Amino acid sequence: MNRTQLKRSGILRMALAGSDAADPGGPGGGETFVFRAVKIGAVVTVYWFVSITMVFLNNYLLDNRDLDAPLLITFYQCLVTVALCWLMQLLSRLCPGLIDFPAVRFDLKTSREVLPLSVVFICMITFNNLCLKHVGVAFYTVGRSLSTVFNVLLSYVVLKQTTSLQAVGCCGIILGGFWLGVDQEGLTGTLSWTGVFFGVLASACVSLNAIFTKKVMPAVDGNIWKLSYYNNVNACVLFLPLIVASGDLSRLAAFGRLGHLGFWGVMTLGGVFGFAIGYVTGLQIKFTSPLTHNVSGTAKACAQTVIAVVYNSSSKSALWWTSNMMVLAGSSAYTWVKSREMKKAPHRDTPPDSAKERLLEAEKGDAGV
């Protein structure tokens, strides 16, 4: 009886002091449970704030009727990301104990090796922004919901990897939610088939991006920030002819607020948030887990949709909300199923799961489900 009480009291002390109490020499040793909970809560809150703000900010920039130049806006955000990579590298040298960022020096050979991924990357961020521009924030979750479905399809076609029936069932729920959402959005008279088309293309490119990333990671020593740097440098070069061909450059020249600091401030802020989402996403995964990060991302997407509907004073049917819940539930269930499968077969060469996909999406400022 005494041994049982001692065991129970020991478990209680470990719960109150945190799991690291059992290993004082481990990282975070001495942290109380309450302190760790507050720290995790702060990280999740920052992730939600950065992600939701970034989506609304991008929507504001892309929905600007005075400047219809989505490619130019996307190009500028890539340019800001490159500049911030150089700044973070400089700060890491000046404050090595405070900021950890890899050295990023441009290497032409590495740039060429990353180039195939960069082509997919610019398609992904361009189609994603065009989807957001045409469908708005409220329908964005459903419009961009097929990434998981394409991940399963392309993993089989490209990597010859099969998927369990449970995971396929989760994809079926997502597909059902997508079609229901398109139907309900059509009934309200606000459906943009152009936006849906770009959403489907963006979802396919997200999956291709994850597959190509797996192949080019060795070229950047497996470092996600080096990959982000080379991707955005290549994107800046590749965007230039596209901007000229699309007429975005001429529209910018005719823009009445071209010399206003406020306009460039908002543009730069969009790029800063696009860079920051990559950092806070990695931070949330570090302090929680990929599965918890996916659950947080799902809850964030739900909150984001509610905020958009309330902000626009929209009235949505019960079936419209059901479509959103089906998409979110299917995405969460898929991640849970894949997580269980990976635990059962840790040595199996599985395709990038949705948590890794989200980390890659976050680098360019997607923040979608």
Side-chain angles (χ1 to χ4, degrees):
M1 180 69 178
N2 289 336
R3 287 185 64 187
T4 302
Q5 290 177 343
L6 284 172
K7 286 181 179 178
R8 288 176 179 173
S9 63
I11 293 170
L12 181 61
R13 281 197 302 273
M14 286 178 65
L16 292 174
S19 60
D20 290 327
D23 183 16
E31 288 185 358
T32 64
F33 172 78
V34 174
F35 179 76
R36 290 180 64 200
V38 169
K39 188 161 62 174
I40 291 172
V43 169
V44 172
T45 301
V46 171
Y47 167 76
W48 276 44
F49 171 76
V50 172
S51 182
I52 293 176
T53 303
M54 183 199 62
V55 171
F56 277 91
L57 187 59
N58 278 345
N59 185 66
Y60 169 78
L61 289 168
L62 294 163
D63 200 34
N64 189 340
R65 296 181 180 179
D66 296 327
L67 180 63
D68 184 17
L71 293 181
L72 180 68
I73 292 170
T74 309
F75 161 77
Y76 187 78
Q77 290 181 344
C78 292
L79 197 63
V80 171
T81 297
V82 174
L84 287 173
C85 283
W86 281 102
L87 177 62
M88 291 297 291
Q89 176 187 232
L90 177 62
L91 292 176
S92 67
R93 289 177 181 176
L94 297 175
C95 312
L98 187 63
I99 299 174
D100 182 22
F101 199 85
V104 284
R105 295 178 181 176
F106 183 77
D107 179 72
L108 188 59
K109 180 176 178 295
T110 304
S111 179
R112 284 199 303 266
E113 291 177 350
V114 177
L115 186 58
L117 171 65
S118 299
V119 173
V120 176
F121 175 74
I122 65 169
C123 290
M124 178 179 70
I125 57 179
T126 300
F127 293 145
N128 181 76
N129 279 347
L130 288 171
C131 172
L132 181 59
K133 173 183 172 63
H134 288 282
V135 305
V137 179
F139 192 65
Y140 180 62
T141 298
V142 173
R144 268 279 290 100
S145 61
L146 298 184
S147 299
T148 301
V149 177
F150 277 110
N151 187 50
V152 171
L153 289 173
L154 293 176
S155 293
Y156 178 75
V157 173
V158 178
L159 303 178
K160 307 301 180 185
Q161 292 174 339
T162 57
T163 305
S164 67
L165 287 177
Q166 285 182 314
V168 171
C170 295
C171 291
I173 295 173
I174 297 171
L175 274 172
F178 174 79
W179 285 115
L180 180 61
V182 169
D183 175 69
Q184 292 301 303
E185 191 76 1
L187 291 177
T188 64
T190 58
L191 178 67
S192 168
W193 281 106
T194 302
V196 172
F197 175 70
F198 284 129
V200 173
L201 288 180
S203 299
C205 288
V206 166
S207 183
L208 281 174
N209 186 74
I211 292 172
F212 273 86
T213 296
K214 189 175 183 181
K215 294 182 178 180
V216 304
M217 265 297 188
V220 291
D221 304 320
N223 191 288
I224 200 72
W225 288 113
K226 283 186 178 180
L227 178 66
S228 179
Y229 169 73
Y230 279 102
N231 249 343
N232 283 277
V233 168
N234 287 345
C236 287
V237 177
L238 293 172
F239 264 124
L240 290 175
L242 296 176
I243 290 171
V244 175
S246 66
D248 280 12
L249 200 59
S250 59
R251 282 190 284 270
L252 178 67
F255 183 51
R257 296 173 54 202
L258 183 60
H260 290 205
L261 289 178
F263 166 71
W264 290 108
V266 174
M267 287 274 284
T268 303
L269 191 62
V272 170
F273 270 91
F275 178 84
I277 189 65
Y279 178 76
V280 296
T281 298
L283 203 63
Q284 180 169 247
I285 292 175
K286 176 183 177 181
F287 278 87
T288 57
S289 68
L291 181 59
T292 305
H293 166 71
N294 185 270
V295 173
S296 174
T298 301
K300 187 275 305 179
C302 183
Q304 181 177 285
T305 302
V306 172
I307 292 170
V309 171
V310 173
Y311 178 77
N312 295 320
S313 301
S314 303
S315 178
K316 302 296 183 182
S317 67
L319 286 177
W320 188 92
W321 288 106
T322 300
S323 70
N324 278 265
M325 292 302 103
M326 288 177 66
V327 165
L328 297 174
S331 299
S332 296
Y334 176 84
T335 304
W336 180 72
V337 168
K338 296 301 290 184
S339 176
R340 287 188 61 187
E341 290 176 357
M342 290 176 71
K343 286 180 180 178
K344 290 179 181 178
H347 300 295
R348 180 184 172 188
D349 186 20
T350 56
D353 58 27
S354 55
K356 291 180 182 178
E357 288 178 29
R358 191 180 306 281
L359 178 58
L360 297 168
E361 289 177 275
E363 286 181 57
K364 52 81 196 171
D366 175 72
V369 172

